[in-house]
Amino acid sequence: MLRPLDLQPLWQGPQAAGGSGPALGEAWGRRHRPDWAARGLIIWPRGGQWRHLQLRCSCPEPWRPLAAGARARLVLRWWADRAELWVDGQRVHSGDLFDTACRWPLPERWWQGEALDLELRLRSPVHDDGALMTSRIELEPLDPADPLGLLAATAAELRELRRAHGHGEAPGEGRLQVLGHAHLDLAWLWPVADTWMAAERTFASALDLMERFDTLHFGHSTPALYAWLERHRPALFARVRRAMQEGRFEPLNGPWVESDCVLLSTASLLRQFQEGQDYSQRTFPEWSHRLAWLPDSFGFAAGLPALAAATGVRWFCTHKLAWNATNPFPHRLFRWRSRCGAEVLALMTAPIGTDGDPVAMERYRLQWQQASGCADALWLPGVGDHGGGPTAEMLEQLELWQGQPVAAGQRHGSLRAYLDPLESLAGELPVWRDELYLELHRGCATSRPDQKRHNRTLERLLREADLAAALFAQPAEAAADDWRSLLFQQFHDILPGTSIPEVFEQAEPEWRGARRRAARRRDRAL
């Protein structure tokens, strides 16, 4: 049985005492990150420090007869804010803290016995130590029937995984619904201006891949993002609209932005859904808009179901409660009910930022079946946080395993197509009658108090201006821009205070300008 070639022990790097030596198992990593060292990671200190690793890589002699029927891929996964792979002095791949993996195909000359000089240049994040987590060479068959048995080792792992969950060796009932996705924070470790460029790259990449891969379906939020694209990139927006009308590009909207859902006033949270739903229904009329897509917000207030349901939302989707630090959240599929009795159906989604790894997909499918009792699971492949979406390498890996009898079947389609059959289960689902509390990020309620003060002041001024306009029958159209300015700043990495300082420096004039306009509008009305 051919197994992947593990490269972790083979990398060489500079040593503390001088010279070069094995990078794995260095004393610094064992002392400062023993948990990482026990997992076989190559580790170096935080603070933007570079780590250069070298390896001279040759094709193992027993592999060389397989050249006519196999493809070899260099599989890497890192934790670094900048990553570069160089082969024979040429840069062939780059990534960062969000694009953290690659499956680079080795050239023909490697099969013919020519050694490749590999170099990895990795820079640790400012806030965390760096790590090379995975480095290996995997073989894939050129013929999906796999006459050489190159997938046998992974197939055996899949069978063992099913036995461990009390299943037989066959995949059994249930498929994976695959939807490409690219989580994009509107601000976090980058300023807002960078977000627009990341969105442009992400959408163009997804549309280009749709032309190459007929099965690809892609879903993305947010109404504020689409509105920017519609105004500033009309040609790209037109391509997005065509793909939407074909049913392959899905708007996963709900509120105006993926907002914080704990620190807001009731009026603000309602306005988030009103603005988001109104824009979505006007701009994408061929889709039904009954979704609230909030995969990354830091907990959810108990009144959210009532506000969401009042704007036509039926489904609430998040992944964040899987991050609970102490008490695992007990449900994957449930009814979430507010005190007034209004409710939405709630789905704890698959992880975001995943790839096409068949073992990870099968592990999740089995866990989903065990927790929910539902056969079909959702899978969301795509680079995320800073956009990106699915890559050709991911889609090729999905295609390869889609035809393997040992793997569960795949069906590429929309989130709505996945949710529709679950509607019939509503009467059988457990009911949750409380907030959805996230046992993580607990300091967010007191971080950056200036953002909380700006938010509460502007919320009050906008309510007063709207009330004054209503009392004296004045038009309220002028309020829309100021409300949208507030709603944008309520994004879940701005208002909670979890972004870099530049984000808040750039938010300051936005807050102040909106406050002045709201106060002026109120005073004129009075």
Side-chain angles (χ1 to χ4, degrees), residues 208-223:
D208 291 344
L209 285 171
M210 285 179 186
E211 296 177 3
R212 289 181 54 189
F213 297 88
D214 294 339
T215 60
L216 174 61
H217 286 67
F218 180 76
H220 204 286
S221 60
T222 310

Side-chain angles (χ1 to χ4, degrees), residues 406-480:
V406 73
Q410 299 173 25
R411 178 182 58 208
H412 293 251
S414 69
L415 175 64
R416 289 163 173 83
Y418 175 75
L419 295 176
D420 284 347
L422 300 179
E423 289 266 2
S424 62
L425 303 177
E428 309 166 18
L429 299 178
V431 177
W432 187 264
R433 297 179 178 86
D434 202 348
E435 68 173 320
L436 299 178
Y437 178 67
L438 176 66
E439 294 179 338
L440 203 67
H441 306 337
R442 290 181 177 92
C444 292
T446 53
S447 298
R448 296 295 310 213
D450 57 325
Q451 302 303 303
K452 281 70 172 177
R453 182 171 59 253
H454 280 315
N455 176 70
R456 193 62 78 214
T457 303
L458 183 53
E459 286 180 328
R460 175 178 57 80
L461 287 170
L462 287 172
R463 291 284 289 159
E464 290 174 353
D466 286 354
L467 179 59
L471 285 172
F472 300 105
Q474 297 183 359
E477 288 79 6

